[in-house]
Amino acid sequence: MDVKEIYDAKERLKGHIKETPVVYAPNLGEDVYLKVEVLQDTGSFKLRGAYNKIATLTDEEAEKGVVACSAGNHAQGVAKSATERGIRSIICMPYHAPLSKVQATRNYGAEVELVKDSFDDAAAYAAKLSKEEGFTFIAPFDDEKVIAGQGTIGLEILEKLPDTDIIVAPIGGGGLISGIALAAKSINPNIKIIGVQTKISPSMYESIKEGKILTVKGGSTIADGIAVKTPGKLTFDIVKEYVDEIVLVTEGEISSAILTLLEKNKIITEGAAASTVAALMYKKFNHKGKKVCCVLSGGNIDVTRVSKVIEKGLYKTNRRMELKIKLNDQPGEMTRMTKLLEREGANIVKIGQNIDVVGDTIDAMIVNLVIDTKDKAHQEQIITALNQDFYVFKANYNDTQF
Protein backbone atom coordinates (compact mmCIF):
# COMPACT_ATOMS: atom_id res chain seq x y z
CA MET A 1 0.00 0.00 0.00
CA ASP A 2 1.36 3.43 -1.01
CA VAL A 3 1.45 6.14 1.66
CA LYS A 4 0.29 8.59 -1.05
CA GLU A 5 -3.19 7.12 -0.49
CA ILE A 6 -3.20 8.61 3.01
CA TYR A 7 -2.27 12.09 1.74
CA ASP A 8 -4.99 11.81 -0.91
CA ALA A 9 -7.46 10.80 1.80
CA LYS A 10 -6.52 13.85 3.86
CA GLU A 11 -7.51 16.14 0.97
CA ARG A 12 -10.67 14.13 0.34
CA LEU A 13 -11.78 14.36 3.97
CA LYS A 14 -11.40 18.12 4.28
CA GLY A 15 -14.72 19.66 5.27
CA HIS A 16 -16.27 16.26 5.95
CA ILE A 17 -14.59 15.23 9.21
CA LYS A 18 -13.25 17.08 12.22
CA GLU A 19 -9.52 17.55 12.67
CA THR A 20 -9.66 16.51 16.31
CA PRO A 21 -7.41 18.10 18.94
CA VAL A 22 -4.25 16.78 20.52
CA VAL A 23 -4.34 17.73 24.20
CA TYR A 24 -1.68 17.70 26.91
CA ALA A 25 -2.39 15.26 29.77
CA PRO A 26 0.10 15.97 32.59
CA ASN A 27 -1.81 13.75 35.01
CA LEU A 28 -0.73 10.77 32.90
CA GLY A 29 2.94 11.77 32.60
CA GLU A 30 5.19 14.76 32.05
CA ASP A 31 5.16 14.44 28.26
CA VAL A 32 1.90 12.66 27.46
CA TYR A 33 -0.68 13.81 24.92
CA LEU A 34 -4.07 12.51 23.83
CA LYS A 35 -5.46 12.50 20.29
CA VAL A 36 -9.10 13.08 21.16
CA GLU A 37 -10.92 11.26 18.37
CA VAL A 38 -13.91 10.90 20.70
CA LEU A 39 -14.86 14.40 19.47
CA GLN A 40 -15.11 13.14 15.88
CA ASP A 41 -18.53 13.27 14.21
CA THR A 42 -20.27 9.96 15.08
CA GLY A 43 -17.96 9.81 18.13
CA SER A 44 -15.31 7.60 16.54
CA PHE A 45 -12.36 7.51 14.11
CA LYS A 46 -14.33 5.05 11.95
CA LEU A 47 -15.92 7.95 10.06
CA ARG A 48 -12.58 8.72 8.40
CA GLY A 49 -12.13 5.34 6.73
CA ALA A 50 -15.80 4.95 5.86
CA TYR A 51 -16.01 8.37 4.24
CA ASN A 52 -12.80 7.89 2.27
CA LYS A 53 -14.01 4.56 0.90
CA ILE A 54 -17.49 5.80 0.01
CA ALA A 55 -16.14 9.01 -1.56
CA THR A 56 -14.09 6.92 -4.00
CA LEU A 57 -16.92 4.69 -5.23
CA THR A 58 -17.77 4.89 -8.93
CA ASP A 59 -21.13 6.34 -9.93
CA GLU A 60 -22.29 2.83 -10.83
CA GLU A 61 -21.31 1.49 -7.38
CA ALA A 62 -22.92 4.45 -5.67
CA GLU A 63 -26.19 3.93 -7.54
CA LYS A 64 -26.44 0.33 -6.29
CA GLY A 65 -25.74 1.27 -2.66
CA VAL A 66 -23.50 -0.08 0.09
CA VAL A 67 -23.74 -2.68 2.81
CA ALA A 68 -21.71 -3.11 6.00
CA CYS A 69 -21.68 -5.21 9.12
CA SER A 70 -20.99 -3.60 12.47
CA ALA A 71 -22.12 -3.53 16.07
CA GLY A 72 -21.54 0.20 16.42
CA ASN A 73 -18.86 2.65 15.29
CA HIS A 74 -18.27 1.42 11.74
CA ALA A 75 -22.03 1.26 11.25
CA GLN A 76 -22.47 4.92 12.11
CA GLY A 77 -19.50 5.99 10.00
CA VAL A 78 -20.82 4.17 6.93
CA ALA A 79 -24.37 5.41 7.48
CA LYS A 80 -23.37 9.07 7.79
CA SER A 81 -20.95 8.95 4.87
CA ALA A 82 -23.41 7.21 2.56
CA THR A 83 -26.23 9.60 3.44
CA GLU A 84 -23.97 12.58 2.79
CA ARG A 85 -23.29 11.30 -0.72
CA GLY A 86 -26.93 10.36 -1.29
CA ILE A 87 -26.23 6.63 -1.34
CA ARG A 88 -28.47 3.92 0.07
CA SER A 89 -26.86 2.05 2.97
CA ILE A 90 -27.84 -1.19 4.65
CA ILE A 91 -26.16 -2.02 7.94
CA CYS A 92 -26.37 -5.57 9.29
CA MET A 93 -26.15 -5.56 13.07
CA PRO A 94 -26.29 -8.40 15.60
CA TYR A 95 -29.76 -8.83 17.10
CA HIS A 96 -28.51 -7.98 20.58
CA ALA A 97 -26.58 -4.82 19.61
CA PRO A 98 -27.24 -1.95 22.07
CA LEU A 99 -30.43 -0.11 21.17
CA SER A 100 -28.61 3.24 21.40
CA LYS A 101 -26.22 2.19 18.62
CA VAL A 102 -29.01 0.76 16.48
CA GLN A 103 -30.99 3.98 16.78
CA ALA A 104 -27.93 6.16 16.13
CA THR A 105 -27.23 4.22 12.93
CA ARG A 106 -30.82 4.69 11.77
CA ASN A 107 -30.64 8.38 12.64
CA TYR A 108 -27.72 8.76 10.24
CA GLY A 109 -29.96 7.46 7.46
CA ALA A 110 -29.16 3.76 7.18
CA GLU A 111 -31.53 0.84 6.86
CA VAL A 112 -30.70 -1.48 9.76
CA GLU A 113 -31.08 -5.24 9.44
CA LEU A 114 -30.98 -6.96 12.84
CA VAL A 115 -29.65 -10.48 12.37
CA LYS A 116 -29.92 -13.40 14.79
CA ASP A 117 -27.78 -14.61 16.49
CA SER A 118 -24.14 -13.55 16.49
CA PHE A 119 -21.93 -10.95 14.84
CA ASP A 120 -20.66 -13.66 12.49
CA ASP A 121 -24.23 -14.32 11.38
CA ALA A 122 -24.70 -10.62 10.69
CA ALA A 123 -21.45 -10.57 8.69
CA ALA A 124 -22.57 -13.58 6.65
CA TYR A 125 -25.88 -11.87 5.89
CA ALA A 126 -24.09 -8.69 4.79
CA ALA A 127 -21.90 -10.77 2.43
CA LYS A 128 -25.05 -12.45 1.06
CA LEU A 129 -26.69 -9.08 0.35
CA SER A 130 -23.56 -7.80 -1.35
CA LYS A 131 -23.44 -10.82 -3.65
CA GLU A 132 -27.16 -11.06 -4.41
CA GLU A 133 -28.09 -7.36 -4.61
CA GLY A 134 -24.85 -5.91 -5.95
CA PHE A 135 -24.21 -3.65 -2.95
CA THR A 136 -20.60 -2.63 -2.38
CA PHE A 137 -19.37 -4.12 0.88
CA ILE A 138 -17.63 -1.53 3.07
CA ALA A 139 -15.08 -3.51 5.05
CA PRO A 140 -14.40 -2.35 8.60
CA PHE A 141 -10.59 -2.58 8.37
CA ASP A 142 -9.11 -4.77 5.63
CA ASP A 143 -9.37 -2.28 2.78
CA GLU A 144 -6.78 0.18 1.43
CA LYS A 145 -9.18 3.12 1.22
CA VAL A 146 -10.42 2.49 4.76
CA ILE A 147 -6.86 2.20 6.07
CA ALA A 148 -5.89 5.40 4.26
CA GLY A 149 -8.74 7.28 5.89
CA GLN A 150 -7.71 6.12 9.35
CA GLY A 151 -4.09 7.02 8.57
CA THR A 152 -4.96 10.72 8.44
CA ILE A 153 -4.90 10.58 12.25
CA GLY A 154 -1.14 9.89 12.07
CA LEU A 155 -0.61 12.91 9.80
CA GLU A 156 -2.58 15.15 12.16
CA ILE A 157 -0.63 14.00 15.23
CA LEU A 158 2.73 14.79 13.64
CA GLU A 159 1.52 18.12 12.28
CA LYS A 160 0.70 19.20 15.83
CA LEU A 161 3.51 17.28 17.63
CA PRO A 162 6.33 16.78 15.12
CA ASP A 163 8.73 15.60 17.85
CA THR A 164 6.48 12.74 19.03
CA ASP A 165 8.54 9.69 19.99
CA ILE A 166 5.75 7.13 20.49
CA ILE A 167 2.19 6.80 19.19
CA VAL A 168 -0.04 4.31 21.00
CA ALA A 169 -3.13 3.02 19.19
CA PRO A 170 -5.69 0.27 19.86
CA ILE A 171 -5.81 -2.78 17.60
CA GLY A 172 -8.91 -4.70 16.61
CA GLY A 173 -8.74 -5.81 13.00
CA GLY A 174 -5.77 -3.49 12.50
CA GLY A 175 -7.13 -0.76 10.19
CA LEU A 176 -6.47 2.15 12.54
CA ILE A 177 -2.93 1.25 13.57
CA SER A 178 -1.99 0.24 10.01
CA GLY A 179 -2.93 3.66 8.66
CA ILE A 180 -1.28 5.53 11.56
CA ALA A 181 1.92 3.47 11.27
CA LEU A 182 2.21 4.00 7.51
CA ALA A 183 1.63 7.75 7.85
CA ALA A 184 3.89 8.30 10.86
CA LYS A 185 6.81 6.18 9.60
CA SER A 186 6.72 8.00 6.24
CA ILE A 187 7.43 11.23 8.12
CA ASN A 188 9.73 9.88 10.83
CA PRO A 189 11.05 6.32 10.33
CA ASN A 190 12.37 6.33 13.92
CA ILE A 191 9.02 6.93 15.60
CA LYS A 192 7.75 3.98 17.63
CA ILE A 193 4.24 2.64 17.07
CA ILE A 194 2.76 0.66 19.97
CA GLY A 195 -0.43 -1.36 19.51
CA VAL A 196 -2.77 -2.37 22.34
CA GLN A 197 -5.12 -5.35 22.54
CA THR A 198 -7.03 -6.98 25.38
CA LYS A 199 -5.90 -10.20 27.00
CA ILE A 200 -9.36 -11.57 26.21
CA SER A 201 -9.10 -11.01 22.46
CA PRO A 202 -5.39 -10.86 21.44
CA SER A 203 -5.79 -11.84 17.79
CA MET A 204 -3.16 -9.57 16.22
CA TYR A 205 -0.78 -10.10 19.14
CA GLU A 206 -0.91 -13.87 18.73
CA SER A 207 -0.79 -13.67 14.93
CA ILE A 208 2.35 -11.53 14.91
CA LYS A 209 3.96 -13.74 17.55
CA GLU A 210 3.32 -16.87 15.47
CA GLY A 211 4.08 -15.22 12.13
CA LYS A 212 0.72 -16.11 10.59
CA ILE A 213 -2.92 -15.01 10.83
CA LEU A 214 -4.67 -16.78 13.69
CA THR A 215 -8.22 -16.81 15.00
CA VAL A 216 -8.66 -16.50 18.76
CA LYS A 217 -11.64 -17.61 20.80
CA GLY A 218 -12.23 -14.18 22.31
CA GLY A 219 -14.92 -13.44 24.88
CA SER A 220 -16.93 -10.71 26.55
CA THR A 221 -14.88 -7.56 27.00
CA ILE A 222 -15.45 -3.93 27.87
CA ALA A 223 -13.35 -3.10 24.81
CA ASP A 224 -15.87 -4.50 22.34
CA GLY A 225 -14.58 -2.16 19.61
CA ILE A 226 -11.33 -4.14 19.40
CA ALA A 227 -12.77 -7.60 20.09
CA VAL A 228 -11.87 -8.95 16.65
CA LYS A 229 -11.21 -12.69 16.51
CA THR A 230 -9.28 -12.69 13.20
CA PRO A 231 -7.14 -9.79 11.94
CA GLY A 232 -7.19 -8.74 8.31
CA LYS A 233 -4.68 -10.03 5.77
CA LEU A 234 -3.71 -6.59 4.53
CA THR A 235 -3.52 -5.16 8.04
CA PHE A 236 -1.50 -8.14 9.29
CA ASP A 237 1.18 -7.50 6.68
CA ILE A 238 1.34 -3.77 7.49
CA VAL A 239 1.44 -4.33 11.25
CA LYS A 240 4.18 -6.95 10.86
CA GLU A 241 6.34 -4.44 8.98
CA TYR A 242 5.59 -1.12 10.67
CA VAL A 243 4.33 -1.67 14.23
CA ASP A 244 7.14 -1.93 16.78
CA GLU A 245 5.34 -3.66 19.64
CA ILE A 246 1.93 -4.98 20.67
CA VAL A 247 1.00 -5.10 24.36
CA LEU A 248 -1.97 -6.55 26.23
CA VAL A 249 -4.18 -5.00 28.92
CA THR A 250 -6.78 -6.45 31.30
CA GLU A 251 -10.41 -5.52 31.86
CA GLY A 252 -9.56 -3.97 35.23
CA GLU A 253 -6.80 -1.88 33.71
CA ILE A 254 -9.11 -0.59 30.99
CA SER A 255 -11.81 0.24 33.54
CA SER A 256 -9.25 2.11 35.61
CA ALA A 257 -8.19 4.10 32.53
CA ILE A 258 -11.81 4.98 31.66
CA LEU A 259 -12.33 6.21 35.23
CA THR A 260 -9.11 8.24 35.16
CA LEU A 261 -9.96 9.88 31.83
CA LEU A 262 -13.46 10.70 33.06
CA GLU A 263 -12.42 11.98 36.47
CA LYS A 264 -9.11 13.69 35.72
CA ASN A 265 -9.31 14.63 32.03
CA LYS A 266 -13.09 15.11 31.71
CA ILE A 267 -13.16 12.83 28.64
CA ILE A 268 -15.63 9.95 28.26
CA THR A 269 -14.20 7.05 26.28
CA GLU A 270 -15.25 3.59 25.27
CA GLY A 271 -13.16 0.63 26.36
CA ALA A 272 -11.21 0.28 23.10
CA ALA A 273 -10.13 3.91 23.26
CA ALA A 274 -9.07 3.77 26.90
CA SER A 275 -6.90 0.71 26.24
CA THR A 276 -4.07 2.98 25.07
CA VAL A 277 -4.10 4.94 28.33
CA ALA A 278 -4.33 1.67 30.29
CA ALA A 279 -1.14 0.49 28.57
CA LEU A 280 0.55 3.75 29.57
CA MET A 281 -0.74 3.79 33.16
CA TYR A 282 0.24 0.20 33.85
CA LYS A 283 3.67 0.51 32.21
CA LYS A 284 3.15 -2.06 29.46
CA PHE A 285 5.91 -0.41 27.41
CA ASN A 286 8.96 1.74 28.12
CA HIS A 287 8.21 5.44 27.69
CA LYS A 288 10.61 7.06 30.15
CA GLY A 289 11.81 10.41 28.81
CA LYS A 290 9.70 10.04 25.65
CA LYS A 291 6.95 12.21 24.18
CA VAL A 292 3.92 9.92 23.91
CA CYS A 293 0.61 10.41 22.11
CA CYS A 294 -2.23 8.02 22.97
CA VAL A 295 -5.04 7.76 20.44
CA LEU A 296 -8.48 7.90 22.08
CA SER A 297 -10.29 6.22 19.21
CA GLY A 298 -13.93 6.69 20.26
CA GLY A 299 -16.39 7.68 22.94
CA ASN A 300 -19.45 5.56 22.13
CA ILE A 301 -19.63 3.67 25.39
CA ASP A 302 -22.96 1.98 26.09
CA VAL A 303 -24.47 4.01 28.94
CA THR A 304 -25.89 0.86 30.50
CA ARG A 305 -22.30 -0.28 31.13
CA VAL A 306 -20.93 2.95 32.59
CA SER A 307 -21.83 2.09 36.19
CA LYS A 308 -20.14 -1.32 35.83
CA VAL A 309 -17.02 0.32 34.42
CA ILE A 310 -16.84 2.86 37.23
CA GLU A 311 -17.34 0.14 39.84
CA LYS A 312 -14.55 -2.00 38.35
CA GLY A 313 -12.33 1.05 38.04
CA LEU A 314 -12.83 1.95 41.70
CA TYR A 315 -11.67 -1.51 42.77
CA LYS A 316 -8.70 -1.44 40.41
CA THR A 317 -7.54 1.94 41.73
CA ASN A 318 -7.83 0.87 45.40
CA ARG A 319 -10.78 3.12 46.14
CA ARG A 320 -13.33 0.44 46.90
CA MET A 321 -13.13 -2.88 48.71
CA GLU A 322 -15.40 -5.63 50.05
CA LEU A 323 -15.27 -7.19 53.49
CA LYS A 324 -16.89 -10.29 54.97
CA ILE A 325 -16.64 -10.03 58.73
CA LYS A 326 -17.70 -12.70 61.22
CA LEU A 327 -19.50 -11.30 64.29
CA ASN A 328 -21.29 -12.68 67.33
CA ASP A 329 -25.00 -11.97 67.01
CA GLN A 330 -25.15 -9.88 70.18
CA PRO A 331 -26.18 -6.27 70.97
CA GLY A 332 -23.41 -3.75 70.32
CA GLU A 333 -21.23 -5.96 68.05
CA MET A 334 -22.35 -4.28 64.83
CA THR A 335 -21.90 -0.83 66.36
CA ARG A 336 -18.39 -1.68 67.55
CA MET A 337 -17.41 -2.83 64.06
CA THR A 338 -18.85 0.20 62.25
CA LYS A 339 -17.18 2.55 64.74
CA LEU A 340 -13.84 0.93 63.93
CA LEU A 341 -14.43 1.58 60.21
CA GLU A 342 -15.52 5.15 60.97
CA ARG A 343 -12.37 5.70 63.04
CA GLU A 344 -10.23 4.47 60.14
CA GLY A 345 -11.94 6.83 57.68
CA ALA A 346 -13.81 4.23 55.62
CA ASN A 347 -17.17 5.08 54.07
CA ILE A 348 -19.73 2.25 54.08
CA VAL A 349 -21.49 2.03 50.70
CA LYS A 350 -23.44 -1.21 51.27
CA ILE A 351 -24.04 -3.43 54.27
CA GLY A 352 -25.95 -6.66 54.83
CA GLN A 353 -25.83 -9.68 57.09
CA ASN A 354 -26.57 -13.39 57.02
CA ILE A 355 -26.51 -16.24 59.49
CA ASP A 356 -23.21 -18.12 59.41
CA VAL A 357 -24.71 -21.43 58.29
CA VAL A 358 -21.40 -23.25 57.83
CA GLY A 359 -19.58 -22.24 61.03
CA ASP A 360 -19.61 -24.09 64.34
CA THR A 361 -20.89 -21.17 66.42
CA ILE A 362 -24.68 -21.01 66.72
CA ASP A 363 -24.86 -17.25 67.27
CA ALA A 364 -22.43 -16.19 64.52
CA MET A 365 -23.36 -13.98 61.59
CA ILE A 366 -21.50 -12.82 58.48
CA VAL A 367 -21.62 -9.10 57.73
CA ASN A 368 -21.02 -8.21 54.08
CA LEU A 369 -19.73 -4.70 53.46
CA VAL A 370 -18.68 -2.57 50.52
CA ILE A 371 -16.59 0.41 51.59
CA ASP A 372 -14.94 3.35 49.84
CA THR A 373 -11.27 3.94 50.60
CA LYS A 374 -8.61 6.49 49.63
CA ASP A 375 -5.84 4.31 48.25
CA LYS A 376 -3.90 1.08 48.76
CA ALA A 377 -2.23 2.35 51.94
CA HIS A 378 -5.65 3.19 53.39
CA GLN A 379 -6.93 -0.31 52.62
CA GLU A 380 -3.92 -1.86 54.33
CA GLN A 381 -4.51 0.40 57.33
CA ILE A 382 -8.08 -0.91 57.63
CA ILE A 383 -6.89 -4.53 57.32
CA THR A 384 -4.34 -3.90 60.09
CA ALA A 385 -6.98 -2.35 62.37
CA LEU A 386 -9.33 -5.32 61.90
CA ASN A 387 -6.51 -7.74 62.69
CA GLN A 388 -5.51 -5.79 65.79
CA ASP A 389 -9.08 -6.02 67.09
CA PHE A 390 -9.04 -9.81 66.43
CA TYR A 391 -11.82 -9.80 63.83
CA VAL A 392 -12.25 -12.87 61.66
CA PHE A 393 -12.72 -11.54 58.13
CA LYS A 394 -11.97 -11.84 54.43
CA ALA A 395 -11.16 -8.93 52.15
CA ASN A 396 -11.61 -8.40 48.41
CA TYR A 397 -9.69 -5.47 46.98
CA ASN A 398 -7.82 -4.77 43.73
CA ASP A 399 -6.23 -8.10 42.71
CA THR A 400 -6.81 -9.70 46.13
CA GLN A 401 -10.03 -11.72 46.16
CA PHE A 402 -12.05 -13.77 48.63
Side-chain angles (χ1 to χ4, degrees):
M1 180 177 168
D2 192 335
V3 73
K4 181 180 180 298
E5 293 241 24
I6 300 175
Y7 287 91
D8 290 343
K10 183 173 174 58
E11 291 302 311
R12 204 172 285 122
L13 293 176
K14 281 183 179 177
H16 300 283
I17 59 113
K18 289 178 181 174
E19 193 168 308
T20 55
V22 175
V23 300
Y24 180 43
N27 63 298
L28 297 172
E30 64 177 74
D31 219 357
V32 175
Y33 294 80
L34 305 172
K35 175 62 168 166
V36 193
E37 199 66 5
V38 302
L39 297 178
Q40 189 57 260
D41 291 340
T42 74
S44 162
F45 78 96
K46 286 286 190 178
L47 178 63
R48 295 173 182 262
Y51 186 88
N52 191 52
K53 175 67 176 179
I54 288 171
T56 56
L57 296 179
T58 66
D59 289 341
E60 183 182 357
E61 289 171 328
E63 187 177 346
K64 290 181 179 178
V66 298
V67 65
C69 176
S70 169
N73 291 338
H74 182 57
Q76 293 171 60
V78 171
K80 186 177 189 300
S81 301
T83 298
E84 193 168 320
R85 192 176 165 183
I87 295 173
R88 181 188 178 194
S89 63
I90 297 91
I91 310 296
C92 301
M93 304 182 77
Y95 189 76
H96 296 293
L99 288 176
S100 59
K101 293 184 178 181
V102 173
Q103 192 56 51
T105 304
R106 286 185 173 134
N107 289 345
Y108 284 120
E111 301 167 32
V112 174
E113 293 276 357
L114 294 177
V115 183
K116 294 182 180 180
D117 289 297
S118 68
F119 180 83
D120 290 339
D121 294 314
Y125 187 66
K128 180 173 178 285
L129 287 177
S130 176
K131 183 178 180 180
E132 293 179 356
E133 304 294 334
F135 301 130
T136 298
F137 180 72
I138 309 297
F141 48 82
D142 211 30
D143 180 283
E144 288 193 359
K145 291 293 190 292
V146 171
I147 291 170
Q150 324 302 26
T152 58
I153 292 173
L155 298 181
E156 289 176 15
I157 290 171
L158 291 182
E159 283 172 5
K160 292 180 172 66
L161 293 174
D163 55 345
T164 301
D165 297 303
I166 301 171
I167 296 176
V168 191
I171 301 180
L176 173 61
I177 200 166
S178 292
I180 288 174
L182 277 169
K185 296 271 188 178
S186 74
I187 298 169
N188 176 11
N190 296 318
I191 196 169
K192 286 196 75 173
I193 308 296
I194 306 291
V196 187
Q197 288 201 297
T198 69
K199 285 190 174 181
I200 287 176
S201 195
S203 56
M204 187 70 81
Y205 175 87
E206 294 293 342
S207 296
I208 294 296
K209 188 170 73 171
E210 295 299 322
K212 60 183 180 181
I213 295 175
L214 299 176
T215 297
V216 300
K217 182 180 179 182
S220 177
T221 171
I222 190 173
D224 56 327
I226 52 174
V228 176
K229 294 180 180 180
T230 309
K233 183 181 185 307
L234 180 57
T235 56
F236 171 78
D237 291 338
I238 295 171
V239 168
K240 184 170 62 175
E241 184 173 356
Y242 292 101
V243 174
D244 297 279
E245 186 179 358
I246 301 174
V247 299
L248 302 178
V249 291
T250 67
E251 300 299 291
E253 289 164 349
I254 295 171
S255 297
S256 174
I258 292 174
L259 184 61
T260 297
L261 287 164
L262 177 61
E263 193 171 34
K264 304 293 186 183
N265 302 91
K266 317 308 176 189
I267 300 172
I268 184 72
T269 58
E270 58 193 79
S275 67
T276 58
V277 172
L280 182 87
M281 287 172 57
Y282 290 95
K283 298 179 174 58
K284 303 292 182 174
F285 60 95
N286 181 22
H287 55 86
K288 187 176 181 180
K290 303 295 184 183
K291 179 169 285 189
V292 181
C293 184
C294 294
V295 178
L296 302 183
S297 54
N300 293 323
I301 189 168
D302 183 358
V303 293
T304 62
R305 305 186 81 183
V306 172
S307 61
K308 297 177 185 177
V309 171
I310 292 174
E311 182 91 359
K312 199 168 186 68
L314 287 171
Y315 279 97
K316 187 64 182 176
T317 54
N318 303 105
R319 290 164 59 191
R320 183 160 288 181
M321 68 188 297
E322 296 176 40
L323 294 167
K324 289 184 178 181
I325 303 176
K326 188 173 183 177
L327 297 181
N328 289 326
D329 193 5
Q330 295 175 355
E333 285 295 297
M334 183 76 80
T335 300
R336 186 171 76 89
M337 180 204 67
T338 56
K339 282 189 176 297
L340 180 149
L341 294 174
E342 180 186 358
R343 186 175 71 243
E344 299 301 326
N347 179 50
I348 298 174
V349 179
K350 295 178 185 176
I351 188 167
Q353 68 181 65
N354 301 98
I355 296 170
D356 182 11
V357 294
V358 296
D360 292 333
T361 308
I362 191 66
D363 289 326
M365 62 179 176
I366 302 296
V367 180
N368 300 290
L369 300 114
V370 176
I371 60 174
D372 281 342
T373 55
K374 298 172 185 176
D375 50 30
K376 187 175 182 179
H378 188 204
Q379 292 179 342
E380 290 173 349
Q381 173 189 322
I382 292 166
I383 297 298
T384 299
L386 288 167
N387 279 321
Q388 287 175 344
D389 271 23
F390 303 104
Y391 281 100
V392 176
F393 67 94
K394 292 181 180 179
N396 178 12
Y397 58 105
N398 198 344
D399 294 324
T400 303
Q401 298 183 350
F402 294 135

